[in-house]
Amino acid sequence: MKILAIYPYIHLSSAALLIDEERFDRQKMSTSFPSKSAEWCLKSQGLKWEDLDMIVVPWNPMRNVNHASKRWVSEMNWRGQLLSHVPIQVMRAIDGPMENEMEIRWGKTRIIYMNHHECHAANGFYLSPFEEADILTIDGHGEDETCFFGSGKGSLITQRSNVIYPHSVGLFYGVFTDFLGFTPDVDEWKVMAISSYSQEKNEYDEKIRSLINLTDKGFELDLTYFDYFSFDRRPHFYHQKLIDLIGEPRKKNDPITSRHQAIAGAMQRVFVETVTHLLKLSEKHGTKSGNIVISGGAAMNSVFNGLLDNMDIYKNSSISSCPDDSGVAIGAALLAWHRYSNKPRKIQEQTHNFWGPSYSDDEIRDTLQKFKIPYEEPANLTEQIAKEIADGKLVGWFQGAMEFGHRALGNRSILADPRKESTKDVVNAAVKYRESFRPFAPAVLEERAEEIFELRPGRKVRFMERVVPIRPEWTGKLGAVNHVDGTGRAQTVERNLNPRYYDLIKAFGEITGVPVLLNTSFNLNGEPIVMTPEHAVRTFFSCGLDMLVIGACVVRKNKR
Ligand SMILES: [Fe+2]
C-alpha cells in the first residue's frame, strides 16, 4: 500500500514518506504546500502521484466547517464551494456525532483527512518499542482538541477522553513565549532554555499557578487572562489582566533580565506540574501496561522529558524524534497504513531520523570540482578531524542522509570541542549568531553516557529528547555544553546507527579523555538546515567555520 501524507499551510509544512518542506524550499519553518518534499518522497521510491493508493492529511477540516458561522455558509459565492457547502448542510441535517476522518475521492484518487491528535498519537505509538502503551498527546490545538488521552495495542489506537480548545497547555506556553518577547508556536524552546536560569520558586509561581485549575478530566485555564482565542482582536496571546498580574511584558529586543528568567522558570514549573497531573490521570484510567507514549508539541519540552525516568508514574516512556507538528504527516501515514492495510503491526522502534536525501561521494566531488574548491580525502578521516577539533577547529559535518525534523543528529551538524565554556562564544561569533542563553548539545558515545550523565541504566537518548543532569565530576570538563543548571540535552550515539560520527567522537575521546562533542545544526541562525552539498558549501563560505567535512572530502578555508 502506497500512502503519501502531506501537511500544508502550517508552520511546519511536511510530507511523508518522509521529509520536511523547509529544506527543499529553503524557507525556515516553511508554510507552503509541500509539493517539493512530496515529489522527492515519490521520486525516491520510483513512484508517480497516480501510483498512490491514498493521500492522507493530518487534519480533519470537517470538524472546523461544522462550527462555521451560518453567515459564512448559507450562500455559495462560487461553485467550488460545493465541496464544503454540501457536507456542511448534510452534517446539519443529520446532526449526528462527528467522525474522526473524512474522505474525498475522484477516480482512483483518495484523499483522507485524519484527526490531528490521532496523528500525533500514531507518530508516538507506531515509532515506539511498545506492543501496548497509554498515549498522551498535548499541543496548541488540533481541529478542536488540545489533549488526547488514549492507548495503543498492536495496530490499534483508541481514544479514551480529551481536552477541548481553548483550554490548551501548548497555548499556555505560547502565551508566555509571546509575553517574554518571542514568537509563539516557534520560540517555545528559547523560553524553556531561559527557564533553567530560575531554579528556585519565586513570587511568580503562585500567580501563574492560579491560571490553571487541575481537574479530574484534565485542566481548565482561567481564560480571562488570555487572548489567543479572540483571533480578530488579538495583538498578543495574553490579555491586559495578565499584565496586571505579573507586570509589563518584555519587548522583542529588550535585554533578558532576572525578572524574565523568574517568569520563565515559574511558568516552566507550572507546565511540569500540569503535565505531571495529566500523566497521573492517564495512568489512573489507562491500561496498566506501565508504558507511556507522549506526543504533540509539548513533548518537545526536553526539560520535562528528562524528568520522566525519575517520576513514579510509568515505568517506561517513549518520545519520537518528531512529536510536534513536524511529525504529524508521518503519524498520518502510519495511522492510515495500520487502519487500511489489514497487515499486523511489526514493532519497529524508531532508532534514527536519517530519512532525507543523501548524496554519494561522486556527487559531492562533482559539486566541489564544479565550484573549483580544493579538497583532500584523508585515509584516516575520523582521527585527523578529531585531532583538529581538539585543536579548536569548528567543523561543518555533512554525511549520509539528512535528518528529518528540527534536530541535527550527526549528518548535517556543526561540531566543536565541548570542553571550554568559551567555545560557546566562538561558535556563536563564527556561525550561529544566536542568543547566548541558548545551550549547545553534547553528543556522547552510548557506552560512556551513564558515566557522564545522570541517565538510568540502559537509557538511550537518540534524539536529544531528554535534558539530563551532567554528573558533577564531568561538569568542569564540559564547559561548552553544560547549561546554567548543570544539565545537557544529550544525544547518545551508537556505532551501528552512525559509524563515522561514532568513530569521530571515539577518536576525540581517545585524544582528550572526553568522549563528547558539541553538536549543533548545520545552518546559520534563521536559515533551514543544509540539505544538499551545494547548501553546505554556500553556508560554509558564509560563516566562520574552519573546515567542511563532506562525505569523504575535507575542505579547508586556509588552503590555497
Ligand atoms: Fe499539533
Side-chain angles (χ1 to χ4, degrees):
M1 186 167 257
K2 300 171 200 77
I3 303 168
L4 177 75
I6 46 179
Y7 191 31
Y9 308 129
I10 61 115
H11 58 288
L12 293 162
S13 199
S14 58
L17 355 122
L18 301 164
I19 190 87
D20 23 5
E21 181 72 0
E22 68 167 27
R23 309 293 162 73
F24 286 87
D25 71 8
R26 308 309 294 162
Q27 302 296 315
K28 181 89 176 158
M29 304 196 80
S30 172
T31 57
S32 56
F33 192 89
S35 47
K36 290 191 179 75
S37 46
E39 269 158 27
W40 178 82
C41 288
L42 294 172
K43 205 170 147 203
S44 70
Q45 301 302 310
L47 298 171
K48 299 195 187 74
W49 283 91
E50 52 268 35
D51 296 326
L52 293 168
D53 295 296
M54 61 184 71
I55 296 156
V56 292
V57 182
W59 190 283
N60 179 3
M62 288 289 270
R63 283 176 173 261
N64 300 113
V65 294
N66 191 40
H67 294 110
S69 159
K70 271 193 181 146
R71 94 189 129 85
W72 297 340
V73 296
S74 58
E75 287 178 19
M76 286 202 313
N77 295 318
W78 69 295
R79 285 175 190 253
Q81 285 176 329
L82 278 168
L83 263 177
S84 56
H85 193 83
V86 171
I88 288 167
Q89 301 305 338
V90 173
M91 271 192 291
R92 291 207 169 132
I94 293 175
D95 196 27
M98 187 66 54
E99 293 297 325
N100 261 349
E101 64 180 55
M102 69 167 286
E103 179 171 345
I104 294 179
R105 180 193 284 238
W106 67 96
K108 194 180 151 293
T109 303
R110 296 173 75 187
I111 301 180
I112 301 179
Y113 295 88
M114 312 190 85
N115 174 270
H116 184 75
H117 272 263
E118 278 189 338
C119 295
H120 275 308
N123 173 293
F125 180 62
Y126 295 128
L127 296 177
S128 83
F130 304 137
E131 158 67 18
E132 183 175 12
D134 289 341
I135 305 172
L136 174 63
T137 73
I138 305 166
D139 72 354
H141 65 93
E143 300 86 354
D144 54 0
E145 294 166 315
T146 67
C147 196
F148 164 114
F149 293 95
S151 58
K153 185 170 187 183
S155 58
L156 194 67
I157 288 176
T158 38
Q159 187 179 42
R160 202 165 45 246
S161 63
N162 60 16
V163 178
I164 297 291
Y165 184 86
H167 299 282
S168 164
V169 177
L171 289 170
F172 168 81
Y173 217 102
V175 164
F176 287 90
T177 303
D178 187 16
F179 188 89
L180 291 168
F182 299 101
T183 308
D185 283 341
V186 175
D187 290 334
E188 275 72 2
W189 58 299
K190 294 184 185 175
V191 175
M192 184 182 75
I194 295 170
S195 76
S196 299
Y197 287 80
S198 162
Q199 290 299 304
E200 301 295 323
K201 278 197 175 181
N202 58 58
E203 60 181 300
Y204 297 106
D205 278 72
E206 278 317 305
K207 289 178 177 173
I208 295 174
R209 175 71 189 76
S210 72
L211 304 176
I212 298 191
N213 181 26
L214 304 181
T215 67
D216 57 5
K217 292 210 164 48
F219 63 92
E220 284 175 359
L221 298 182
D222 184 340
L223 297 171
T224 60
Y225 288 87
F226 307 120
D227 210 4
Y228 53 77
F229 43 81
S230 58
F231 295 100
D232 48 354
R233 234 184 345 128
R234 71 176 191 200
H236 287 292
F237 273 28
Y238 48 88
H239 187 273
Q240 177 63 37
K241 266 185 85 173
L242 187 66
I243 300 174
D244 297 341
L245 183 72
I246 60 171
E248 284 299 311
R250 173 180 171 266
K251 291 198 186 72
K252 194 176 170 193
N253 294 316
D254 286 355
I256 291 164
T257 64
S258 56
R259 178 175 159 266
H260 301 135
Q261 293 168 350
I263 292 171
M267 187 276 297
Q268 171 73 21
R269 281 186 286 279
V270 173
F271 170 84
V272 168
E273 194 185 327
T274 306
V275 181
T276 305
H277 170 74
L278 299 179
L279 273 180
K280 285 179 180 163
L281 281 181
S282 167
E283 201 282 332
K284 185 176 168 193
H285 301 292
T287 62
K288 312 300 176 205
S289 63
N291 302 323
I292 181 72
V293 165
I294 306 179
S295 195
M300 293 295 281
N301 195 294
S302 46
V303 171
F304 174 80
N305 298 344
L307 304 173
L308 283 166
D309 278 344
N310 293 322
M311 287 180 182
D312 199 17
I313 306 173
Y314 283 96
K315 212 163 134 226
N316 298 309
S317 57
S318 175
I319 298 150
S320 87
S321 71
C322 46
D324 66 334
D325 276 8
S326 70
V328 278
I330 296 171
L334 291 168
L335 187 62
W337 172 271
H338 287 97
R339 201 167 271 174
Y340 293 104
S341 74
N342 291 324
K343 289 186 182 156
R345 174 177 170 225
K346 246 192 357 208
I347 294 175
Q348 283 184 315
E349 181 185 10
Q350 181 190 10
T351 55
H352 67 82
N353 68 346
F354 307 126
W355 293 328
S358 60
Y359 302 86
S360 68
D361 281 343
D362 279 344
E363 288 173 294
I364 289 167
R365 285 186 201 104
D366 283 350
T367 302
L368 296 176
Q369 286 160 12
K370 186 173 85 181
F371 294 143
K372 298 181 181 159
I373 296 169
Y375 62 92
E376 50 193 89
E377 296 191 39
N380 55 345
L381 180 82
T382 50
E383 288 84 353
Q384 186 174 323
I385 302 304
K387 188 171 171 310
E388 299 198 49
I389 293 174
D391 289 341
K393 295 277 196 317
L394 302 182
V395 172
W397 180 259
F398 182 107
Q399 302 289 334
M402 184 180 73
E403 298 89 342
F404 181 93
H406 302 278
R407 293 170 186 150
L409 299 175
N411 281 4
R412 301 290 186 276
S413 288
I414 286 170
L415 304 174
D417 187 336
R419 291 174 295 170
K420 280 192 280 185
E421 195 180 345
S422 56
T423 306
K424 260 167 57 169
D425 297 332
V426 174
V427 176
N428 269 328
V431 193
K432 286 288 186 172
Y433 320 117
R434 66 182 197 176
E435 301 92 336
S436 59
F437 61 81
R438 285 161 63 182
F440 288 107
V444 59
L445 296 183
E446 183 215 5
E447 67 271 19
R448 301 286 301 276
E450 288 163 35
E451 174 196 338
I452 299 171
F453 298 93
E454 289 180 20
L455 286 166
R456 98 174 175 195
R459 165 60 66 205
K460 294 179 173 71
V461 194
R462 292 174 172 132
F463 311 117
M464 296 180 178
E465 74 273 24
R466 297 169 203 251
V467 169
V468 287
I470 299 172
R471 294 194 188 278
E473 59 273 30
W474 282 88
T475 50
K477 296 180 199 167
L478 294 171
V481 292
N482 176 15
H483 198 25
V484 61
D485 55 353
T487 61
R489 190 156 52 94
Q491 177 200 359
T492 54
V493 179
E494 292 154 76
R495 189 166 198 287
N496 63 328
L497 297 175
N498 199 337
R500 190 174 273 172
Y501 186 42
Y502 175 95
D503 288 348
L504 179 73
I505 303 171
K506 190 160 196 285
F508 182 82
E510 279 159 9
I511 295 165
T512 63
V514 177
V516 176
L517 284 176
L518 179 157
N519 168 24
T520 185
S521 53
F522 193 168
N523 63 318
L524 304 182
N525 199 11
E527 290 186 6
I529 298 174
V530 301
M531 182 173 79
T532 66
E534 196 171 323
H535 297 154
V537 166
R538 279 187 4 214
T539 300
F540 176 61
F541 285 109
S542 308
C543 69
L545 282 175
D546 298 302
M547 302 163 63
L548 173 64
V549 183
I550 180 163
C553 305
V554 178
V555 179
R556 287 186 165 77
K557 281 209 178 120
N558 55 3
K559 189 103 175 168
R560 295 279 167 209

